Amino acid sequence: AQGSVTASPSQYDGEYDCPVTVGTPGVTLPLDFDTGSSDLWVFSSELPASERSGHAYYTSSSSSTSKLDSGETWDISYGDGSGAEGNIYIDKVTIGGITVTSQAVEAAESVSSEFVSDTSNDGLVGFAFDSINTASPNHVQTWFGNAEAQLASPVFTANLKKGKAGNYNFGYIDSSEYTGSITYATINSANGFWEFSASGYAVGSGAFSSQSIDVIADTGTTLIYLPAAIVKAYYAKVSGSSNSASAGGYIFPCSATLPSLTIGIGSYKAVVPGTFLNYAPNTGSTCFGGLQSNAGIGLSILGDVFLKSQFVVFNQGVPKIGFAPG
Ligand SMILES: CCNC(=O)c1c(-c2ccccc2)csc1NC(=O)CNCCc1c[nH]c2ccccc12
């Protein structure tokens, strides 16, 4: 089998949400596909009504194929302080025409205010490795982990776009979605992430600095977070920029022309256009950067601002990750 699903950007490309059908009869929910986590969780009828407002949700008792995964609970916290928790049902989950009949569906009994107010999604689908799934006392498998047996190849691809719909494909690589050739990096999945070593960086037309940068490819994080020294070198080329405590990161005059950012993957130079690095208006005539320091995070993140400039192959078989111009 193979499948494809549309990925729709929220405002400012903050996240990319895809239709996922859960249960029988199916309820279709926009879920945020997240290669930086490994829980498939949904807004549910078990939430207080106040936390469900503005959201569609899963009602296990209305699904004839739903079965309580008794004794199992989940509780996830993300680095931005958001989180959710609840219990678990086994039910059918279909994405892009591919159905997993016994998928662990983590039903929310409580969600943090960030998720209540983010009405773009009604939950997340984790596409990282099972080791960081939060279900307890036993881990549950990701949807992709369960779907792999049906796929010709243990791969999925991300073809995210700036300001318009893109897509995720499952089980195949569509050569019409990229140009040139795909360059692969070996994945170290020991921390549960799609983690690899980038080979260096360049700012605009400046010299490429060869250095190993440990990064994760994370569709669930909006921005790019890199070591402070690299970020400082970037904004040194943006006149009027500053690292603002009140804004929570680097800002600059919205009229600034931003240089591109090149990230090396092996010998491949992945270029993020300067326009992608003006993330969104801040206050007044200042704008917030799509590149921020990883200080306090403990790792570097290639989030959507980077990923939407590339065609990305996530191969869970090896594991390895591939990049090509989108
Ligand atoms: C800003 C969200 N990202 C993180 O917290 C994160 C961190 C991280 C750790 C410490 C401090 C800041 C970030 C490491 S890996 C990593 N990646 C993930 O956690 C991927 N999943 C993010 C899901 C997520 C968190 N808040 C949201 C709000 C809307 C939609 C999705 C989300």
Side-chain angles (χ1 to χ4, degrees), residues 14-15 17 32 34-37 41 76-83 112 114-115 118 121 123-124 193 216 218-223 225 294-301:
E15 63 187 68
D17 301 303
D32 182 357
D34 181 6
T35 61
S37 70
W41 68 263
I76 196 161
S77 300
Y78 302 104
D80 61 356
S82 65
S112 66
E114 293 89 351
F115 288 111
D118 179 359
N121 76 61
L124 268 63
F193 296 117
I216 70 168
D218 182 359
T219 58
T221 292
T222 308
L223 306 182
Y225 297 89
N294 72 359
I297 297 184
L299 50 82
S300 291
I301 304 176

Side-chain angles (χ1 to χ4, degrees), residues 248-265:
Y250 281 87
I251 56 173
F252 43 81
C254 294
S255 56
T257 303
L258 294 171
S260 62
L261 174 71
T262 297
I263 299 291
I265 289 113

Side-chain angles (χ1 to χ4, degrees), residues 41 47 73-76 83-87 106-112:
W41 68 263
L47 284 165
T73 60
W74 61 282
D75 183 342
I76 196 161
E85 60 175 9
N87 57 2
E106 301 179 12
E109 293 175 287
S110 168
V111 297
S112 66

